[in-house]
Amino acid sequence: MLDSSLNKEQEEAVKTTNGPVLVIAGAGAGKTKVITERVKRLIASGIPAERVLAVTFTNKAAGEMKERVATAGPFIGTFHALGLLLIKENLEKLKISKNFTIIDEDDALKLIKDSLIEMSKDPKDFEPARLKNQISGMRNRLITEEDFAGDPSYGGAGGYFGEILGAVWKLYEAKKKQQNFLDFDDLLLKPTLLLMKDKGFRALYQNRWQYLHIDEYQDTNEVQYTLSKILAERHRNILAVGDIDQAIYSWRGADFKNVLNFQKDYPDAKIITLEKNYRSTDIILEAANSLILNNKMRLPKKLWTEKKGASAIKIIFAEDERKEAEMVAGEIRALYGAERESLSFAKMAVLYRTNAQSRAVEEIFLKRNIPYRIIGGVRFYERKEIKDILAYIKFALNEHDEISKKRILNVPPRGIGKTLMQKILAGIVLKPEEEKKYANFKKIISEIKEDSARLPLHDFLKNAIKRANYRGYIDDGTEKGSERWQNVGELLSIAKKISLGRSPTGEAVGGGTIEDFLEHVALFAVDDKYEPAKEKVSLMTMHTAKGLEFDAVFIVGLEEGLFPHSLSIEPADLEEERRLCYVAITRAKTHLYLTYAARRTLFGERVANLPSRFLKEIPEHLAEYISFPEETDENGILENIIEY
């Protein structure tokens, strides 16, 4: 039975289950509801749940879908979770050992640095992060290390840099294989290449999943696009949901042209456009629509809503970034303390183009006692104490994991200094007193390994922490030490939930094993950037805000050179900046503030900037123009924007 709250277009998308369907879903138009209701309808109609697949980009989105579907059987998860499933079911075909470790971005960078050092190259001269990004970019375009070795001009990386990149890449792949590592790119690339090359493998999964749902299609890169297309080839029952106007990730390989090419791939595809917005007021939507109409690369769409706006968009001029932050703080305090419509701090967000812009806002918020949280800083699984404990588990389960071994050899301190550590890692024969220190470490690891075979997850993790004497190391009596130990407690809580076969957000995760726990950690690290803040204003970049919503949104720094960014001079880049502005605007439900400063300190220099062209693209009748300080001529602000 269909959900009675579906609108006409949503209902059409849910009912159209056979053949290819492209849903152009505007911001806040209920695309998650369409996917979940469609999955529920398929299963209710008699389609076996295990024949249904739904793929999205974050664990948060996948968790929400699972909760709404509330039926066991269909695969609902991220692209990386799907890739991991294919790998686990085909270890022998892929020539991967069972106890592999999924490494995060930090550990991948360490391998790149180690490769450079092994080549007698100074990492300071070759920027490991740049090399890692080049390698990742090519792999996301289905280019392997062997392909690159055959033609170093791939990705424009020819000449001397191409030689270095090729040598580093070769070593990097060798180190991963030696230590039984998979990086995040491997989770997508390895199964996709196998699907392309192995007919039997391809037929198996094309038959398994009869109905495919791909969320955020505009954010797919070439690997994800190819993986989706191959899986859909046999039955052609693919529903892709996307919105070119929200395509903001070209810098990480996403190609919004995949949405445009859907009709070429599937000439008989049905196109359905979701334009009714359930999030924002009509004032905010009219501003967003007017802005995005200035882009040429898009599909026709005009969002509308039944929600009438009670307040205009506020466009505010400030003398500098400090006055800008003062204004934001003042407005937040006013919204928080309003008699008729008081908003909690958690319902408000400050968005900016670059992370450096948060400094001035933070200083003023501290001064005005406004609780805030930076979203996109050091996340839970990236904290030292969490990575230390995970390293003990990973190394106990995978003795080839040299990164984890190196991390914990002398953590907590056990007299293994830098020289001894190098000898151990190099396999050099140790002196008796050195062997004694090393033997203590080996005993701990051996005991943890034995525990892994006999204890349930929660007890195993608790014992591992005790065997490593980690509390005595981390909880040093200081407030910081107490906070770190509380983080360890949170890790134990997560293990407790997973040991019961549930993730921290409630969905099923399998058998509640140690492997399930490590997979949860790895997939959360790659796919999620946002953790909800309790009673704190959220501060984050506009890219991070994608997929979120707040009652009140403050978009700061709308100045030429800052937003749009000075590097976005090509038409295609400028259009992506405008899409980013569109995404930022459509995060707001009821209150929207756009700010710019006459002067701003950038890279230590005091510079004067023109108002952003995006301000000019907001219709005048939708906005209220305010200056800070108040004695500045209000009309002058408007003229400044319009004249520019």
Side-chain angles (χ1 to χ4, degrees):
M1 186 174 177
L2 281 176
D3 185 331
S4 59
S5 67
L6 291 170
N7 64 39
K8 180 184 174 184
E9 291 74 23
Q10 289 174 330
E11 186 175 320
E12 185 182 10
V14 170
K15 283 182 174 179
T16 310
T17 53
N18 291 321
V21 181
L22 176 63
V23 176
I24 307 300
K31 65 182 177 65
T32 301
K33 177 184 278 192
V34 165
I35 294 173
T36 54
E37 287 301 316
R38 195 171 188 268
V39 169
K40 287 160 70 174
R41 179 179 173 83
L42 284 166
I43 295 170
S45 72
I47 301 297
E50 60 272 15
R51 304 293 298 277
V52 180
L53 175 79
V55 186
T56 187
F57 276 81
T58 68
N59 286 300
K60 178 177 176 289
E64 186 180 342
M65 286 184 190
K66 287 178 184 177
E67 189 177 332
R68 292 191 192 184
V69 170
T71 302
F75 177 92
I76 301 175
T78 63
F79 271 105
H80 288 98
L82 174 61
L84 179 58
L85 172 68
L86 297 178
I87 287 171
K88 285 168 62 181
E89 291 184 353
N90 297 276
L91 292 174
E92 192 173 333
K93 258 185 192 299
L94 290 163
K95 298 178 182 177
I96 297 171
S97 302
K98 185 180 178 183
N99 294 323
F100 62 85
T101 298
I102 302 171
I103 58 173
D104 61 19
E105 292 296 325
D106 285 343
D107 289 341
L109 268 179
K110 286 175 185 173
L111 285 185
I112 296 287
K113 286 180 183 176
D114 290 345
S115 299
L116 282 166
I117 292 167
E118 196 170 314
M119 292 164 54
S120 301
K121 302 295 180 184
D122 189 340
K124 292 178 183 177
D125 294 335
F126 289 95
E127 295 183 66
R130 182 188 174 200
L131 293 169
K132 175 70 179 69
N133 289 339
Q134 287 266 359
I135 292 169
S136 184
M138 283 186 275
R139 298 180 83 210
N140 285 332
R141 300 202 314 275
L142 295 167
I143 300 167
T144 65
E145 183 267 321
E146 291 84 1
D147 295 330
F148 186 81
D151 183 1
S153 66
Y154 271 122
Y160 180 63
F161 178 76
E163 290 178 22
I164 297 298
L165 179 61
V168 168
W169 193 349
K170 186 176 182 179
L171 267 175
Y172 174 68
E173 294 295 339
K175 287 179 181 296
K176 281 194 300 174
K177 188 172 183 180
Q178 180 186 9
Q179 298 179 60
N180 205 13
F181 286 164
L182 295 179
D183 63 20
F184 294 143
D185 294 334
D186 287 322
L187 298 185
L188 299 175
L189 182 62
K190 286 185 179 295
T192 302
L193 289 176
L194 191 59
L195 282 169
M196 292 169 69
K197 296 172 183 175
D198 189 312
K199 289 182 180 178
F201 179 76
R202 186 162 63 246
L204 175 67
Y205 290 99
Q206 286 176 343
N207 286 327
R208 177 184 294 189
W209 290 306
Q210 186 178 347
Y211 294 90
L212 279 73
H213 305 74
I214 311 296
D215 192 15
E216 305 286 11
Y217 204 65
Q218 78 282 348
D219 291 338
T220 53
N221 58 32
E222 192 167 343
V223 172
Q224 293 159 337
Y225 162 78
T226 303
L227 175 61
S228 307
K229 189 178 177 185
I230 290 173
L231 290 177
E233 268 177 7
R234 182 175 179 81
H235 297 287
R236 301 181 78 255
N237 298 322
I238 178 172
L239 176 133
V241 182
D243 181 12
I244 291 173
D245 292 340
Q246 297 186 75
I248 59 173
Y249 296 122
S250 67
W251 49 275
R252 69 181 190 195
D255 188 355
F256 70 83
K257 292 186 183 70
N258 291 339
V259 175
L260 297 174
N261 290 333
F262 192 86
Q263 286 175 281
K264 293 180 182 177
D265 294 334
Y266 307 98
D268 57 333
K270 188 166 191 174
I271 312 298
I272 301 168
T273 304
L274 305 184
E275 295 178 306
K276 184 177 180 180
N277 177 283
Y278 293 88
R279 177 188 300 150
S280 307
T281 65
D282 55 348
I283 292 172
I284 292 170
L285 289 185
E286 188 178 343
N289 286 333
S290 298
L291 174 89
I292 205 63
L293 276 173
N294 291 279
N295 273 6
K296 294 178 181 177
M297 290 295 290
R298 62 188 300 268
L299 294 173
K301 178 179 81 290
K302 187 176 182 180
L303 295 179
W304 64 278
T305 182
E306 294 173 351
K307 292 175 66 176
K308 299 298 178 185
S311 59
I313 296 166
K314 291 185 178 178
I315 297 180
I316 303 175
F317 163 81
E319 291 180 5
D320 55 27
E321 70 267 29
R322 186 173 180 82
K323 294 285 176 60
E324 178 185 54
E326 286 276 11
M327 177 281 303
V328 171
E331 292 292 334
I332 284 174
R333 275 290 174 198
L335 290 171
Y336 180 74
E339 290 183 13
R340 284 177 51 193
E341 191 191 0
S342 62
L343 296 181
S344 68
F345 289 127
K347 291 182 177 179
M348 295 185 264
V350 180
L351 311 182
Y352 34 78
R353 180 63 179 83
T354 64
N355 281 303
Q357 290 172 255
S358 73
R359 182 195 58 80
V361 178
E362 287 186 76
E363 287 180 4
I364 298 302
F365 277 21
L366 287 168
K367 181 181 175 183
R368 297 286 294 271
N369 293 316
I370 294 175
Y372 69 90
R373 182 177 184 183
I374 299 283
I375 307 299
V378 178
R379 290 177 288 148
F380 182 76
Y381 292 114
E382 294 172 349
R383 291 165 186 161
K384 179 191 180 323
E385 56 273 18
I386 302 304
K387 292 200 76 169
D388 285 349
I389 291 168
L390 291 174
Y392 270 99
I393 300 171
K394 289 176 182 178
F395 183 62
L397 270 60
N398 176 12
E399 61 186 14
H400 302 294
D401 184 349
E402 290 190 11
I403 289 179
S404 292
K405 183 178 183 180
K406 188 176 181 180
R407 183 179 187 95
I408 56 174
L409 263 173
N410 198 43
V411 173
R414 51 179 64 90
I416 298 177
K418 189 174 180 180
T419 302
L420 178 52
M421 186 180 293
Q422 288 174 341
K423 289 175 73 174
I424 291 170
L425 293 172
I428 296 171
V429 177
L430 305 179
K431 297 175 182 176
E433 62 271 22
E434 292 173 332
E435 184 58 52
K436 189 176 180 182
K437 293 174 183 177
Y438 184 35
N440 179 40
F441 171 78
K442 288 192 288 186
K443 181 174 181 289
I444 293 169
I445 295 300
S446 176
E447 289 171 346
I448 293 174
K449 188 172 185 177
E450 288 174 12
D451 287 345
S452 72
R454 65 182 185 86
L455 294 176
L457 170 59
H458 182 259
D459 294 338
F460 162 73
L461 184 60
K462 202 172 180 180
N463 262 28
I465 294 165
K466 283 182 180 177
R467 292 194 187 283
N469 191 28
Y470 200 78
R471 180 167 191 174
Y473 166 64
I474 205 74
D475 193 4
D476 56 5
T478 64
E479 185 178 343
K480 190 69 176 174
S482 176
E483 183 183 321
R484 286 175 173 168
W485 183 244
Q486 286 175 18
N487 288 335
V488 174
E490 179 62 20
L491 188 67
L492 281 166
S493 298
I494 291 168
K496 183 72 171 178
K497 290 174 183 174
I498 291 177
S499 68
L500 299 173
R502 314 297 295 178
S503 81
T505 53
E507 63 268 13
V509 293
T513 64
I514 298 166
E515 289 76 15
D516 291 327
F517 173 68
L518 290 176
E519 283 174 20
H520 168 82
V521 170
L523 292 174
F524 191 95
V526 64
D527 288 320
D528 285 311
K529 308 294 181 190
Y530 176 73
E531 300 169 40
K534 293 182 179 179
E535 283 314 303
K536 293 181 180 180
V537 178
S538 296
L539 274 60
M540 69 187 89
T541 66
M542 297 172 212
H543 284 99
T544 304
K546 174 80 183 297
L548 306 177
E549 58 182 36
F550 303 90
D551 285 66
V553 169
F554 296 78
I555 306 174
V556 299
L558 277 142
E559 297 136 35
E560 288 292 308
L562 188 57
F563 190 46
H565 198 276
S566 58
L567 297 178
S568 301
I569 54 177
E570 296 296 327
D573 297 331
L574 185 58
E575 289 211 353
E576 179 148 336
E577 289 287 287
R578 187 174 284 108
R579 291 194 294 268
L580 183 58
C581 190
Y582 175 85
V583 165
I585 287 172
T586 53
R587 299 311 94 199
K589 292 182 179 180
T590 54
H591 297 80
L592 177 63
Y593 296 78
L594 309 175
T595 78
Y596 72 101
R599 292 175 298 280
R600 188 179 297 273
T601 303
L602 296 172
F603 300 103
E605 297 290 331
R606 199 72 168 157
V607 296
N609 294 317
L610 290 168
S612 170
R613 69 192 70 192
F614 301 150
L615 290 172
K616 183 182 176 183
E617 295 168 3
I618 305 292
E620 293 174 42
H621 69 277
L622 301 176
E624 176 186 352
Y625 296 86
I626 303 170
S627 60
F628 193 95
E630 292 177 0
E631 59 265 21
T632 304
D633 174 21
E634 185 175 312
N635 291 328
I637 304 165
L638 179 56
E639 287 172 11
N640 195 9
I641 296 170
I642 294 171
E643 282 176 12
Y644 176 66

